[in-house]
Amino acid sequence: MATRTERPSRPGGWAWALALALTLARPASAPAAEPFVDFRGEGPATMHHVRVVDLPAPNVTASADNSPHIVSRPKDAWPQAPAGFRVQLYAQGMTNPRFIRVAPNGDVFVTESKAGTIQVFRGVRPDGRAASSTTFATGLRRPFGLAFFPPTGEPQWLYVANTDSVARFVYRTGDLRARSPEQTLAPLPGGGFLRGGGHWTRDVAFSLDGQKMFVSVGSRSNNDDTDGNRGEEGRADILEFKPDGSDQRVYAWGLRNAVGIAVHPVSGELWASVNERDDLGDNLPPDYITRVQPGGFYGWPWFYIGDHQDPRHKGKHQELREKVIVPDVLLQPHAASLQMTFYDGKQFPEAYRGDIFAANHGSWNRSVRTGYVVVRVPLHGTPRASGEYEDFLTGFVTRSGDVWGRPVGVAVAGDGALLVTDDASNCIWRVVYEGAGKAP
């Protein structure tokens, strides 16, 4: 999710204006080539691999302002999945559904961020629809991330990452409504639209042993220098706390906006899905999914994807240049990767076990749209990624470039289906596996 405030200055004059006009007028008959594809090069089971050596120089193309034109879903439009999978409509008529988390008993919890509510869905009918829905809590402040605690066994709490704080509710298995008032544990920097603007989403996750709580906080700006900048204090970080909200420290830094975080269910390593900066051209820099190393520095705002210096901070902090960690998986630039999860279900084929699914919300800073997909990152039965990723759920953009669907959240249902929230169609999609050879 790119920040739309405090946009940096751009080069002026007729040359830049002409370059931008030509870029936006790129004919539909000329789709982008690998590795930097647009929506016309995305399709179910299509594999991509963006490498560091593929990165262009900054500002090779003009920086586009191409926000999506949202339309109602056309009558013949439906999300497309690989052969053998079927997509069902699980719930609709929601208000800005964002993050999704499945309770140990299979109940599905969803944050409606703009409305400040948490909805819970139970069961599934023969047609794939939710059997029932209930409002669990209201009056929250742009809630996004959710997590049950402790991370194993019977949960006692439901944690929620508001834009301005981490809070929790007393929870017992099967609760459909909060049985206690919201308990605020720790304030968070920025507070999004409440106190300071910028990236407002916050996610929360726990270490496997339940001793550490991780919270992601995005930057206030696109690429402002953080030296002496009070508006960026404690931001573009993943913070670590004790589960009661005490002992705050920085776990990793220089991650412009780690919207989604998740702990690998076997290795216990923290992973993140990160939105990189804008206004360096169509194909720079890639968003990414990566393991997050304790104390690790990922470059923002002075560097990106390793030791590449942002030209807007030329010469700054050369002592950090060799310390920037290169991410594990590079995605399409400006794809806006949001929630991620590890597939731990048993419905999909064995090859999917342990793989990452991530929702890409879609670009605005690209001349031809990219993103608007759910991607799969194969881990090959190990805790490591080899760099490639695969389009899994596509079809949210019309041939003319209008957008009817924007994936936000992904979660594995109790029966092993994949659930995907969509805040353009205001619904939840359910992807089930029906067997090899079946048409999607």
Side-chain angles (χ1 to χ4, degrees):
M1 267 175 319
T3 299
R4 303 305 302 273
T5 58
E6 298 193 354
R7 297 284 296 278
S9 60
R10 292 170 170 162
W14 66 268
W16 179 86
L18 177 60
L20 177 59
L22 291 174
T23 300
L24 293 177
R26 180 179 295 167
S29 59
E34 293 284 358
F36 299 115
V37 300
D38 55 56
F39 74 94
R40 296 163 296 175
E42 297 168 339
T46 301
M47 194 70 74
H48 309 281
H49 195 168
V50 181
R51 299 171 174 84
V52 175
V53 296
D54 297 321
L55 301 187
N59 301 312
V60 167
T61 61
S63 187
D65 193 343
N66 187 24
S67 295
H69 177 225
I70 305 297
V71 298
S72 298
R73 179 171 59 85
K75 291 182 179 180
D76 60 346
W78 201 257
Q80 300 299 302
F85 292 89
R86 183 158 61 100
V87 183
Q88 301 170 322
L89 184 59
Y90 182 69
Q92 61 182 340
M94 303 183 69
T95 304
N96 190 228
R98 303 286 285 178
F99 193 95
I100 185 168
R101 179 76 71 195
V102 178
N105 74 332
D107 288 345
V108 177
F109 286 71
V110 179
T111 52
E112 294 179 311
S113 298
K114 289 181 180 178
T117 61
I118 300 173
Q119 299 290 341
V120 58
F121 298 86
R122 174 168 287 177
V124 57
R125 302 187 322 208
D127 62 356
R129 299 271 185 149
S132 66
S133 65
T134 308
T135 299
F136 181 84
T138 62
L140 303 173
R141 294 156 309 287
R142 282 210 178 178
F144 189 74
L146 298 170
F148 291 93
F149 184 85
T152 58
E154 284 292 315
Q156 303 297 310
W157 301 93
L158 173 63
Y159 279 68
V160 55
N162 293 304
T163 193
D164 62 346
S165 65
V166 179
R168 66 184 180 184
F169 295 94
V170 173
Y171 174 81
R172 299 294 181 266
T173 297
D175 283 356
L176 294 176
R177 290 183 174 84
R179 61 168 62 210
S180 71
E182 176 189 10
Q183 177 185 346
T184 299
L185 299 178
L188 295 177
F193 78 114
L194 296 176
R195 293 185 288 110
H199 296 112
W200 60 266
T201 60
R202 313 286 184 252
D203 197 3
V204 57
F206 292 97
S207 60
L208 295 183
D209 62 7
Q211 298 301 304
K212 297 177 181 179
M213 178 173 71
F214 305 107
V215 180
S216 59
V217 181
S219 67
R220 184 180 188 273
S221 64
N222 177 43
N223 74 313
D224 283 359
D225 197 329
T226 60
D227 288 345
N229 185 346
R230 295 188 63 184
E232 293 290 0
E233 288 180 5
R235 305 192 65 165
D237 295 334
I238 295 178
L239 305 176
E240 179 190 314
F241 302 81
K242 288 183 178 178
D244 64 2
S246 63
D247 291 354
Q248 175 182 331
R249 73 180 187 92
V250 175
Y251 182 81
W253 62 301
L255 302 109
R256 178 176 173 268
N257 191 19
V259 181
I261 57 175
V263 172
H264 191 282
V266 177
S267 73
E269 292 176 301
L270 182 67
W271 286 67
S273 182
V274 180
N275 289 193
E276 255 292 354
R277 69 207 75 189
D278 299 308
D279 294 319
L280 288 178
D282 265 0
N283 297 324
L284 205 68
D287 288 347
Y288 58 86
I289 294 172
T290 190
R291 289 171 297 132
V292 182
Q293 299 181 29
F297 174 56
Y298 290 82
W300 189 89
W302 307 293
F303 303 93
Y304 59 87
I305 315 299
D307 64 358
H308 298 84
Q309 182 130 44
D310 189 314
R312 297 163 293 196
H313 301 294
K314 187 175 182 180
K316 290 279 291 186
H317 287 292
Q318 294 304 300
E319 77 281 4
L320 295 174
R321 191 176 199 121
E322 299 304 318
K323 297 181 179 180
V324 184
I325 298 171
V326 176
D328 293 288
V329 182
L330 304 185
L331 305 172
Q332 295 302 310
H334 317 297
S337 193
L338 303 188
Q339 189 181 356
M340 60 165 289
T341 192
F342 295 95
Y343 185 79
D344 58 359
K346 296 182 179 179
Q347 184 187 121
F348 288 12
E350 181 66 28
Y352 288 80
R353 300 281 174 82
D355 287 355
I356 294 169
F357 284 96
N360 288 359
H361 200 224
S363 65
W364 71 266
N365 190 222
R366 209 165 185 274
S367 58
V368 182
R369 308 196 191 291
T370 193
Y372 310 94
V373 298
V374 174
V375 301
R376 169 198 175 203
V377 177
L379 298 188
H380 315 290
T382 74
R384 296 288 182 269
S386 50
E388 75 276 11
Y389 73 92
E390 179 185 66
D391 298 330
F392 181 75
L393 199 63
T394 67
F396 296 101
V397 183
T398 69
R399 291 183 179 179
S400 63
D402 292 332
V403 174
W404 63 264
R406 303 194 77 180
V408 177
V410 287
V412 182
D415 63 358
L418 190 73
L419 300 173
V420 179
T421 60
D422 172 352
D423 71 352
S425 292
N426 286 314
C427 68
I428 304 173
W429 302 100
R430 182 172 182 264
V431 186
V432 298
Y433 183 69
E434 296 187 322
K438 297 275 188 177

